[in-house]
């Protein structure tokens, strides 16, 4: 049998916003545990928890100050053990987030390293001398704005940070640093977690000579200066492969564990995930390329083309905690359309690879409109209003339409529950057979029951606009998926519609001769 992660659907949980068990307005581990029947009932294979570690919370927990302690607002190690056991009891695997590229400045490693150039952990982070004029060693920029260097007076050096200044970059070229992160992995693997989603892998290695990046050719100045450089030297360094191999080797000592890598949207992203998931590297990986780009026939065909690539094992993700929710982001003019929302779920769940489903994506939640005063995300606050804050995708899960705070919490939540999300709450959708939730459950059941969808090859079909299509084929079965990427009915070439049969549990009965606006056809062949 194929390993569990091949073709798995991984439900991404943003713990702060999933379910609050103790009435402090912040989601927690016990809250997640209370919703496991819902998650298992969706028909997903695993959950990925965004960071739950001790952290000052400067970047939503991606600034870890203790890799082996749980943030008190989320609970305790006992709560995590209980959650992992309860997930396993329902056949769900658990991936934690491994933040490898940096820590919080509050981490004891950084406190030690910054003390002096001769400190015991002096090489744990990337420090470099200033230039003769006192300016930073090179022109590298931080993703979150401004130079990628912060001054460290005690060392008379700059420290590299690809994100916030409070997130100094770890020096993974230093063997002891990589060993330290490997021992963090073992701590959690020994506790029974099934693997990790590994954060920001394009930032784990850089040019050892610290050469400056060239300017990117551009007509205009973008809102984010990071986009003004070609990231030839600060990211995607040659050391990446060796780091990936080491991470993989750590998991090989355990049974059935998996690594899901996150790669940026920088050019060549699809090729990078194919390479990063080659033999001896990660099990699967996703790129932010689709999450950052637009959606139309051209982009959708590029996804299908990438999914057809026989090398490596991609994981598809259309929504997550870093981007505008897909129901809004990919809707024409940003106005969500339930038919398109369902089409996107069907596409996500039929492409070759594994898939991540972000909490609330199964409800078709639109992006939450938030005023500046409500924003917590430092990235969003820095670039407001030119760039939508990531908080619009991080608002609380709506569980019960009529309950205070839509059932998320008994207190005022850390981010508001938007009114538009109440009508889309779990209880309301559970009662409506036409809901996005019902569609998502049916697609997930279909995928589980259909080996060709989980593991089969993907063969793109050459179809006239506005149709997109492909076949999936395993040694014993073949099926066809056709999508109408327009708001008008579209005729399906007769040969494609003629011979398909409905798949078990599928929310659509085969491939019809005429596809409704934003319609989907999925059918088995012979
Ligand atoms: C995470 C972000 C985070 C960044 C820095 C990412 O790719 O998904 O939420 O801000 O890494 O850790």
């Amino acid at each position: 049998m194929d390993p569990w992660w091949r073709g798995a659907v991984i439900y991404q949980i943003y713990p702060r916003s999933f379910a609050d068990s103790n009435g402090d307005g912040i989601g927690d581990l016990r809250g997640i545990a209370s919703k496991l029947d819902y998650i298992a009932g969706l028909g997903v294979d695993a959950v990925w928890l965004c960071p739950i570690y001790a952290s000052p919370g400067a970047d939503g927990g991606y600034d870890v100050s203790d890799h082996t302690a749980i943030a008190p607002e989320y609970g305790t190690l006992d709560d995590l053990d209980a959650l992992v056991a309860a997930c396993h009891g329902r056949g769900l695997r658990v991936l934690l987030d491994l933040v490898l590229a940096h820590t919080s400045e509050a981490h004891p490693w950084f406190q030690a390293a910054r003390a002096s150039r001769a400190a015991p952990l002096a090489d744990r982070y990337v420090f470099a001398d200033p230039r003769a004029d006192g300016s930073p060693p090179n022109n590298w920029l931080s993703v979150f704005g401004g130079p990628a260097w912060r001054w460290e007076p005690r060392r008379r050096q700059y420290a590299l940070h690809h994100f916030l200044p409070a997130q100094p970059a770890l020096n993974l070229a230093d063997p002891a640093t990589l060993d330290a992160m490997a021992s963090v992995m073992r701590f959690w693997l020994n506790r029974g977690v099934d693997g990790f989603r590994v954060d920001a892998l394009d930032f784990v290695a850089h040019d050892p000579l610290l050469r400056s990046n060239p300017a990117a050719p551009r007509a205009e100045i973008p809102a984010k200066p990071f986009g003004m450089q070609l990231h030839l030297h600060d990211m995607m360094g040659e050391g990446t492969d060796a780091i990936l191999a080491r991470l993989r080797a750590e998991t090989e000592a355990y049974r059935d564990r998996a690594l899901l890598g996150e790669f940026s949207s920088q050019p060549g992203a699809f090729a990078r995930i194919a390479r990063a998931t080659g033999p001896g590297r990660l099990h699967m990986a996703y790129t932010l390329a689709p999450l950052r780009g637009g959606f139309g026939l051209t982009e959708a065909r590029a996804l299908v083309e990438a999914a057809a690539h026989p090398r490596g094992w991609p994981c598809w993700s259309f929504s997550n905690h870093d981007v505008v929710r897909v129901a809004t982001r990919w809707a024409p003019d940003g106005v969500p359309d339930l038919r398109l929302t369902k089409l996107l779920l069907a596409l996500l769940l039929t492409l070759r690879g594994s898939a991540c489903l972000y909490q609330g994506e199964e409800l078709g939640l639109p992006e939450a409109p938030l005023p500046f005063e409500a924003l917590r995300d430092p990235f969003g606050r820095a670039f407001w209003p030119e760039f939508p804050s990531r908080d619009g995708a991080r608002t609380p899960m709506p569980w019960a339409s009529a309950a205070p705070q839509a059932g998320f919490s008994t207190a005022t939540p850390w981010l508001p529950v938007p009114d538009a999300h109440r009508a889309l709450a779990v209880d309301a959708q559970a009662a409506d057979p036409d809901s996005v939730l019902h569609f998502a459950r049916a697609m997930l059941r279909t995928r589980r029951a259909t080996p060709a969808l989980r593991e089969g090859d993907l063969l793109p079909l050459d179809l006239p606009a506005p149709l997109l299509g492909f076949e999936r084929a395993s040694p014993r079965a073949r099926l066809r998926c056709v999508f109408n990427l327009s708001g008008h009915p579209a005729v399906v070439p007769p040969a494609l519609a003629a011979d398909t049969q409905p798949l078990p549990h599928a929310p659509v009965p085969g491939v019809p001769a005429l596809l409704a606006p934003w319609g989907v056809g999925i059918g088995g062949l012979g």
Side-chain angles (χ1 to χ4, degrees):
M1 216 181 91
D2 267 343
W4 69 266
W5 51 267
R6 243 180 122 78
V9 180
I10 300 155
Y11 188 75
Q12 182 194 349
I13 295 180
Y14 196 71
R16 211 169 188 77
S17 292
F18 197 62
D20 172 18
S21 75
N22 62 353
D24 62 0
I26 295 174
D28 47 49
L29 296 176
R30 289 185 181 200
I32 297 170
S34 73
K35 300 295 184 189
L36 289 187
D37 287 338
Y38 169 77
I39 298 171
L42 290 173
V44 298
D45 304 280
V47 296
W48 145 31
L49 305 183
C50 281
I52 48 166
Y53 316 109
S55 160
D59 183 23
Y62 283 92
D63 48 323
V64 179
S65 55
D66 184 343
H67 292 103
T68 55
I70 304 288
E73 67 265 35
Y74 295 146
T76 62
L77 272 176
D78 286 346
D79 292 333
L80 183 78
D81 290 343
L83 177 62
V84 171
C87 284
H88 288 169
R90 288 169 177 79
L92 292 168
R93 313 277 176 154
V94 181
L95 302 183
L96 298 186
D97 218 306
L98 186 68
V99 190
L100 199 66
H102 46 261
T103 68
S104 162
E105 63 183 349
H107 197 293
W109 293 346
F110 190 68
Q111 294 306 320
R114 76 192 309 187
S116 87
R117 296 185 189 206
L121 297 181
D123 294 334
R124 185 131 300 189
Y125 295 83
V126 183
F127 287 97
D129 292 338
R131 285 190 282 205
D133 64 0
S135 59
N138 57 31
N139 71 350
W140 296 355
L141 294 171
S142 139
V143 178
F144 290 172
W149 297 96
R150 56 176 271 178
W151 182 243
E152 182 47 65
R154 281 168 276 186
R155 290 182 59 135
R156 314 283 204 270
Q157 281 186 310
Y158 282 99
L160 177 67
H161 63 90
H162 294 293
F163 298 91
L164 294 173
Q167 291 168 296
L170 281 167
N171 176 19
L172 294 161
D174 166 45
T177 302
L178 196 50
D179 286 348
M181 286 311 296
S183 95
V184 168
M185 292 173 74
R186 290 194 297 274
F187 176 87
W188 295 110
L189 294 170
N190 288 338
R191 282 195 109 83
V193 309
D194 300 282
F196 301 95
R197 174 264 190 184
V198 193
D199 186 57
L201 278 167
D202 278 333
F203 291 96
V204 295
H206 55 258
D207 174 21
L209 301 176
L210 303 183
R211 282 171 289 189
S212 282
N213 286 324
R218 284 213 166 255
E220 294 175 350
I221 298 179
K224 293 187 260 179
F226 190 75
M228 295 179 72
Q229 294 186 353
L230 292 177
H231 295 280
L232 301 188
H233 301 305
D234 56 338
M235 301 174 68
M236 305 170 279
E238 278 176 14
T240 307
D241 285 347
I243 293 169
L244 300 185
R246 174 66 191 278
L247 301 182
R248 176 64 179 249
E250 287 302 326
T251 63
E252 293 299 286
Y254 300 80
R255 269 170 60 102
D256 279 348
R257 311 300 165 100
L259 296 172
L260 163 63
E262 182 212 29
F263 289 85
S264 73
S265 56
Q266 290 296 314
F270 290 132
R272 258 190 340 279
I273 60 172
R275 181 185 166 112
T277 54
R281 306 228 169 92
L282 304 177
H283 301 82
M284 48 190 166
Y286 70 91
T287 152
L288 294 172
L291 291 149
R292 299 241 185 269
F295 186 73
L297 205 47
T298 310
E299 290 85 357
R301 283 183 178 150
L303 291 183
V304 169
E305 206 52 52
H309 201 300
R311 273 184 55 211
W313 192 254
C315 180
W316 297 103
S317 168
F318 291 171
S319 251
N320 74 17
H321 64 295
D322 288 331
V323 296
V324 171
R325 282 188 178 275
V326 70
T328 303
R329 195 177 74 249
W330 280 355
D333 303 321
V335 182
D337 180 319
L338 290 189
R339 300 168 301 179
L340 172 59
T341 302
K342 290 177 180 173
L343 178 149
L344 293 173
L345 278 167
L347 180 61
L348 177 72
L349 296 172
T350 50
L351 287 172
R352 172 183 172 274
S354 301
C356 285
L357 189 69
Y358 179 50
Q359 67 183 49
E361 191 175 356
E362 77 279 18
L363 303 174
L365 294 185
E367 179 77 351
L370 295 173
F372 180 76
E373 306 74 63
L375 302 184
R376 304 294 185 91
D377 173 23
F379 191 19
R381 290 177 71 94
F383 288 94
W384 190 88
E386 291 297 304
F387 160 73
S389 157
R390 297 178 298 176
D391 288 332
R394 296 177 177 180
T395 55
M397 260 297 272
W399 295 103
S401 46
Q405 311 303 344
F408 165 73
S409 174
T410 52
T412 304
W414 75 285
L415 282 178
V417 178
D419 287 341
H421 285 193
R422 279 186 177 280
L424 298 171
V426 170
D427 66 345
Q429 296 209 33
D432 172 6
D434 284 332
S435 66
V436 176
L437 177 60
H438 273 269
F439 186 89
R441 284 180 176 151
M443 275 308 305
L444 286 159
R445 273 201 297 277
T446 307
R447 182 179 168 107
R448 283 205 146 185
T450 314
L453 274 180
R454 281 183 74 108
E455 306 143 27
D457 292 339
L458 186 147
L459 305 106
L461 293 171
D462 188 12
L463 298 179
L467 297 177
L468 174 82
F470 49 83
E471 290 185 0
R472 300 291 313 273
S474 65
R476 278 182 300 165
R478 241 173 89 215
L479 57 93
R480 186 176 289 150
C481 307
V482 185
F483 305 84
N484 174 6
L485 295 195
S486 82
H488 309 285
V491 175
V492 175
L496 291 189
D499 53 353
T500 61
Q501 306 94 42
L503 295 181
H505 315 295
V508 292
V511 179
L514 188 70
L515 269 179
W518 306 115
V520 178
I522 304 175
L525 297 167

